[in-house]
Amino acid sequence: MRPDIQGHLAMLTFSALVAGSFSLGSMSANMISPAALNAARFVIAGVVIAVAVAATTGITREATRAPWRYVVLGGLFAIYFVLMFEGLKTARPVSAAAVFTLTPVIAAGFGWLLLRQRTTLRMAFALAIGAAGALWVIFRADLAALQRFEVGRGEAVYFIGCVSHALYTPMVRKLNRGEPAVVFTLGTLIGGGTLLFIYGWRDVLGTDWLALPPIVWITILYVSVAASSATFVLLQFASLRLPSAKVMAYTYLTPSWVILWEIALGNGAPSPIVLGGVSLTILALYLLLRNDQDASNHGK
């Protein structure tokens, strides 16, 4: 399998796992401070990845050089996670997913600034189709709902986090020096976790962990294993194989996954017309894949 196809499959899985964070996060965001929740998340995710590193590649001497890289990357992801849960205190999951779809354009800008990655007209067209499809899904094909959309405090706070997330993607490629994805992920988790404990130690110590409702622990475990350990590796794996704009393009699938999560949690199913939006996001990803295939064939 070609490296670019591997990157696309990694991001397909990434988008499905990330979507669960919106639905579960909105159910528990007001029951625990974002700093405390994410400190626990980084610790659990770090243990999972550390076991994976020990069972596979191990930590090489080269991976321990320039540890500041892990602090920078970990800091960017910690900012994103904390602001996501801060935003979900007031923003609905679908509104947050709408904000999340802004990250591909921002990532494309950072990709050009840091790596001089250029977005072709064809890629821009695909991203535009994906954005339209995502908005169609989020607002359930209701133009009146789209017109009523107002950016509240939660959405604004989360937007800042999304800017941090978009910057993280090209920074992975810029700062990676050939380390395996799991090793690089472990360093990022250690760096981010350290910064989180420095920032939120009062919240961590002030939380009555044994008295937390079950939904909070379900959320912590989910975001630690599925939406941290797994997605960290998937995102770094894909970032080394795809341009930043294409990596973040998979955020356009997240709203569709969020609706599936909402259905699974008993919050109702969208009308059949909404499936048209899902089709547009799939079309956008097809255009990106086709773009890669054409480039590969041209290279031959």
Side-chain angles (χ1 to χ4, degrees):
M1 187 182 296
R2 295 202 321 267
D4 57 317
I5 298 298
Q6 293 176 351
H8 284 292
L9 289 175
M11 289 309 299
L12 182 65
T13 306
F14 169 90
S15 63
L17 293 176
V18 164
S21 300
F22 289 97
S23 296
L24 292 174
S26 66
M27 297 170 68
S28 58
N30 289 298
M31 302 178 184
I32 182 174
S33 80
L37 185 150
N38 283 290
R41 167 195 209 152
F42 271 65
V43 169
I44 296 172
V47 171
V48 172
I49 293 297
V51 172
V53 169
T56 54
T57 62
I59 299 177
T60 62
R61 180 175 297 180
E62 289 76 15
T64 61
R65 293 175 180 171
W68 61 269
R69 297 176 297 154
Y70 304 120
V71 176
V72 171
L73 292 173
L76 289 173
F77 240 27
I79 290 170
Y80 167 75
F81 285 132
V82 169
L83 293 183
M84 175 185 181
F85 280 87
E86 185 65 36
L88 283 172
K89 287 183 177 180
T90 55
R92 295 180 299 108
V94 289
S95 295
V99 176
F100 194 47
T101 59
L102 298 174
T103 51
V105 177
I106 304 171
F110 283 134
W112 181 83
L113 286 173
L114 297 173
L115 304 172
R116 288 299 183 261
Q117 293 177 340
R118 299 196 175 200
T119 301
T120 64
L121 288 176
R122 185 174 183 174
M123 190 188 302
F125 178 64
L127 296 181
I129 290 177
L135 289 175
W136 187 339
V137 171
I138 292 164
F139 295 103
R140 302 182 181 231
D142 186 348
L143 290 178
L146 176 60
Q147 292 171 348
R148 288 195 304 269
F149 178 72
E150 297 178 359
V151 179
R153 180 184 180 278
E155 288 83 358
V157 167
Y158 183 47
F159 174 75
I160 299 173
C162 288
V163 172
S164 181
H165 191 295
L167 177 58
Y168 173 88
T169 307
M171 288 295 288
V172 167
R173 181 174 287 200
K174 190 172 182 66
L175 297 181
N176 184 276
R177 298 180 180 177
E179 296 90 351
V182 286
V183 174
F184 209 59
T185 297
L186 178 60
T188 300
L189 285 168
I190 293 174
T194 301
L195 292 176
L196 264 176
F197 274 99
I198 293 173
Y199 164 76
W201 65 271
R202 289 186 179 87
D203 290 336
V204 174
L205 295 180
T207 298
D208 188 351
W209 295 95
L210 297 179
L212 292 174
I215 185 60
V216 176
W217 279 110
I218 291 172
T219 302
I220 289 175
L221 291 175
Y222 178 84
V223 298
S224 298
V225 179
S228 282
S229 303
T231 56
F232 268 43
V233 174
L234 290 168
L235 184 59
Q236 295 194 8
F237 180 87
S239 296
L240 298 174
R241 290 161 175 79
L242 298 171
S244 299
K246 289 190 178 183
V247 170
M248 298 313 296
Y250 275 85
T251 61
Y252 291 138
L253 274 187
T254 301
S256 301
W257 289 119
V258 168
I259 286 181
L260 292 178
W261 272 91
E262 292 292 289
I263 293 173
L265 293 172
N267 295 329
S271 62
I273 193 173
V274 171
L275 296 179
V278 177
S279 300
L280 285 180
T281 58
I282 295 173
L283 173 60
L285 294 175
Y286 167 74
L287 290 175
L288 294 177
L289 282 168
R290 184 179 166 192
N291 189 19
D292 284 344
Q293 291 167 354
D294 289 349
S296 176
N297 293 334
H298 180 73
K300 292 178 182 178

